[in-house]
Amino acid sequence: MFSIRRIVGVTAVLTGAGATALGAVSLAQAQPPPPASGQRSGAKTTAGDGTSVNAPISGRDRVYTADQTSNTVTVIDPNTNRTLGTIALGVQRLGTTLSPQYTGNVGVHGLALSRDNKRLGVVSVTSNTVDIIDTATNKVINETDVGRASHEGTFTADGEQFWVADRGRDTVTVVDAVRGGVVTSFKVGPGPSKVVLSPDGRTAYVNHISAPEITAVDVRTHKIRYTIKGLGDAFSSDEAISPDGTELWASHKRAGLTSVIDLKRRRVTAVLKTGPDTNHPNFANTKNGSFAYLTVGGLDQTHVYRRNPGGTPKLVTRIHHAGHAPHGMWPSGDGTRMYVGMEKSDAVDVIDTATNKVTDTIGVGKEPQALVYAPNAAPVGSADNLGRQGLGDAPRNVPTTLPDGTAGEPMRPADKGRRLEATVRSVSGLGMIQLQARDLQPTTTYQASAVQKDGSRTSLLSFTTDSSGNAAQVLAFADFTGVSVSLASEGKATAQTLARMTAAAAASMHPGSDGAVEAADLLYCDCC
């Protein structure tokens, strides 16, 4: 099989990572062995997700965010809730990223930790690459080109391999996490979106964006063991496995639903109506019990459920964020905090799980997507090899006006979210204007304009809604000097426009799948 790998700093990895990280453990082993003498001690974790450890927060812990527009990974010290800097994996979204000679990463999006918290796996969804980073030094160990529209992945229990779901190829690609390069790939069904691992390390669970099912794969043989059908929707953006390994929660961003799956009985036990842009689930075991947390981007909320394995979980509270579009989330090692990335505010909110209140907000890189928490990941005070790319210049969420003259940005009742959101960022000295529309007229073309202080308008771009009247992500790049954004209807889309939209969807159809995804799903991946 042809694959490309880039090795960076191999000597440092061989001398600093230790023999355990280099593959002395069987894939079938339930848990990795304790660190050898002289290694930095990693807290024990369950399923590589850090949700069931008992590790008090310290200066050796780290929080990471994957920043899609600045193409960075932000590094935070949770002991002080201070941003230490960023790891640049490419230049920011504009500029040389459009050049055929560009060799950096584009669309830094997915994150996962090895179970010893010594290595971070980073998935870039546009350049289709996986970078493995040493958490002690913030250095890239190796980089591998993987399958089309690679999205989210996980390390195997021994840390030797990184499995990533390829949304555009119906495959999971297996990466050599120690040396780089593709080991193999195998089919798992239409539009795989993410891979998570059982606590014993023997079973990988894959959700999909083109099928309402979960695929269970034997980690040792790469064979499909079974499939759990009957999820709430065919498009599952993210998933997480509970610390005890008994439940899997799969979110359905477009439908505003979440499926709760009993992994012992291999069946769906509940489909929760959670709201627009339902996103990442995660878990926290606290002194008050075991809870599931779920970001709902379209409501600027995080929902908290008391778990009820085998039954329907109960909604405990809704946490309201001051920022916009909560996305990735992860608990601290001791479960006392939940860290939540705010996609449209370039920030991380810190939730106290005892009170379910936001206690702090931390600035990070541009457009944070996935987020992970790593106990005992780095030396105290270490900020080696970090820069400042993507930091500063917080985005603005500006007012919007619909064609009938009403405001588009107020939150609507009945959990419908906003009709029109507009976020403006400074990227490489130019404004990136991001629009998201809900419940407009279907298959209709709209003209978006920047409204100046004196009321004059400057055209930004036109876009066409889908058959539901939605536009998940519309981008324009301009010198934005306006104070708001307004829409004007240009009427029903022409036959030519609809034909181009149909052709684009058909071109992105997954081989062997029953449906298609739109180009925006594969290119900018706001659907995680």
Side-chain angles (χ1 to χ4, degrees):
M1 175 179 294
F2 176 75
S3 68
I4 298 175
R5 63 179 181 177
R6 303 182 184 99
I7 309 296
V8 184
V10 172
T11 301
V13 176
L14 294 178
T15 59
T20 300
L22 295 176
V25 187
S26 166
L27 282 176
Q29 192 164 342
Q31 292 289 346
S37 176
Q39 293 180 323
R40 64 185 190 275
S41 59
K44 272 191 165 184
T45 64
T46 295
D49 61 9
T51 55
S52 67
V53 302
N54 184 17
I57 295 168
S58 79
R60 299 183 67 182
D61 297 2
R62 294 292 183 267
V63 176
Y64 303 94
T65 64
D67 313 317
Q68 184 165 268
T69 288
S70 55
N71 289 319
T72 55
V73 172
T74 298
V75 184
I76 296 168
D77 179 352
N79 194 47
T80 59
N81 282 342
R82 183 171 66 90
T83 298
L84 300 176
T86 59
I87 304 167
L89 298 178
V91 301
Q92 299 193 66
R93 181 174 276 184
L94 285 177
T96 57
T97 59
L98 301 177
S99 166
Q101 285 79 40
Y102 177 70
T103 59
N105 291 327
V106 185
V108 175
H109 187 97
L111 294 178
L113 282 165
S114 61
R115 291 194 175 188
D116 59 10
N117 298 317
K118 294 178 182 177
R119 284 176 292 167
L120 181 69
V122 187
V123 184
S124 297
V125 297
T126 307
S127 54
N128 302 318
T129 45
V130 169
D131 285 88
I132 306 298
I133 294 174
D134 178 68
T135 58
T137 64
N138 300 311
K139 285 186 176 181
V140 175
I141 300 170
N142 57 69
E143 181 178 298
T144 301
D145 295 342
V146 291
R148 176 65 186 271
S150 53
H151 186 235
E152 291 268 14
T154 190
F155 284 90
T156 49
D158 61 1
E160 289 189 2
Q161 295 180 347
F162 186 85
W163 288 29
V164 62
D166 306 318
R167 282 178 161 180
R169 287 291 181 266
D170 296 356
T171 56
V172 166
T173 295
V174 178
V175 172
D176 185 329
V178 179
R179 292 163 287 272
V182 172
V183 176
T184 189
S185 64
F186 54 91
K187 295 277 188 178
V188 291
S193 187
K194 187 174 182 176
V195 187
V196 295
L197 212 63
S198 61
D200 65 9
R202 295 186 175 122
T203 304
Y205 296 98
V206 183
N207 63 335
H208 300 265
I209 60 170
S210 301
E213 60 192 39
I214 300 294
T215 303
V217 179
D218 185 283
V219 171
R220 185 179 62 84
T221 65
H222 301 168
K223 302 296 184 183
I224 294 176
R225 293 184 56 203
Y226 56 87
T227 300
I228 302 171
K229 298 183 180 295
L231 273 65
D233 189 68
F235 189 103
S236 176
S237 48
D238 200 83
E239 62 174 345
I241 193 169
S242 62
D244 57 12
T246 63
E247 286 185 333
L248 187 147
W249 288 45
S251 58
H252 307 290
K253 181 174 183 179
R254 291 178 174 176
L257 304 172
T258 300
S259 296
V260 181
I261 298 103
D262 183 330
L263 293 178
K264 288 185 175 181
R265 295 175 177 83
R266 300 179 185 179
R267 62 183 179 88
V268 176
T269 57
V271 176
L272 309 174
K273 187 176 181 180
T274 45
D277 295 350
T278 291
N279 228 308
H280 288 221
N282 217 312
F283 303 89
N285 290 333
T286 75
K287 62 182 181 181
N288 296 320
S290 181
F291 299 91
Y293 286 69
L294 185 73
T295 55
V296 185
L299 300 179
D300 294 340
Q301 296 175 359
T302 290
H303 292 182
V304 185
Y305 290 85
R306 184 178 293 276
R307 291 183 57 214
N308 181 23
T312 301
K314 179 183 178 181
L315 178 64
V316 175
T317 190
R318 301 180 180 207
I319 301 169
H320 295 266
H321 296 276
H324 298 293
H327 197 115
M329 63 175 358
W330 209 276
S332 59
D334 59 4
T336 61
R337 299 178 189 171
M338 186 68 71
Y339 285 78
V340 184
M342 308 302 293
E343 179 180 353
K344 293 181 181 178
S345 296
D346 297 355
V348 167
D349 271 359
V350 185
I351 295 172
D352 181 332
T353 58
T355 63
N356 284 322
K357 302 292 185 183
V358 175
T359 59
D360 204 351
T361 298
I362 309 162
V364 296
K366 298 185 186 301
E367 203 177 7
Q369 304 290 301
L371 179 151
V372 295
Y373 187 108
N376 295 335
V380 174
S382 171
D384 295 342
N385 304 303
L386 298 179
R388 305 298 296 175
Q389 180 172 307
L391 299 179
D393 295 326
R396 290 184 291 150
N397 291 277
V398 302
T400 60
T401 304
L402 300 173
D404 63 2
T406 61
E409 79 278 3
M411 198 70 73
R412 294 179 291 166
D415 290 344
K416 292 183 178 180
R418 297 177 170 89
R419 294 284 299 278
L420 180 65
E421 300 176 49
T423 304
V424 181
R425 288 182 176 87
S426 175
V427 180
S428 299
L430 198 61
M432 185 181 92
I433 304 97
Q434 178 181 343
L435 306 180
Q436 182 173 4
R438 301 182 185 92
D439 300 330
L440 301 182
Q441 292 298 313
T443 58
T444 298
T445 298
Y446 291 90
Q447 176 69 43
S449 300
V451 181
Q452 310 301 321
K453 287 183 178 180
D454 61 4
S456 61
R457 286 168 167 75
T458 304
S459 177
L460 294 172
L461 82 165
S462 63
F463 65 92
T464 299
T465 56
D466 61 19
S467 59
S468 298
N470 301 328
Q473 187 181 82
V474 180
L475 291 178
F477 294 91
D479 183 12
F480 186 86
T481 59
V483 294
S484 65
V485 170
S486 68
L487 286 190
S489 174
E490 296 185 341
K492 283 291 184 180
T494 64
Q496 292 88 342
T497 297
L498 295 176
R500 285 198 300 270
M501 293 174 67
T502 302
S508 62
M509 184 178 293
H510 299 286
S513 70
D514 296 323
V517 295
E518 298 174 2
D521 300 328
L522 301 182
L523 183 57
Y524 292 112
C525 192
D526 69 314
C527 45
C528 175

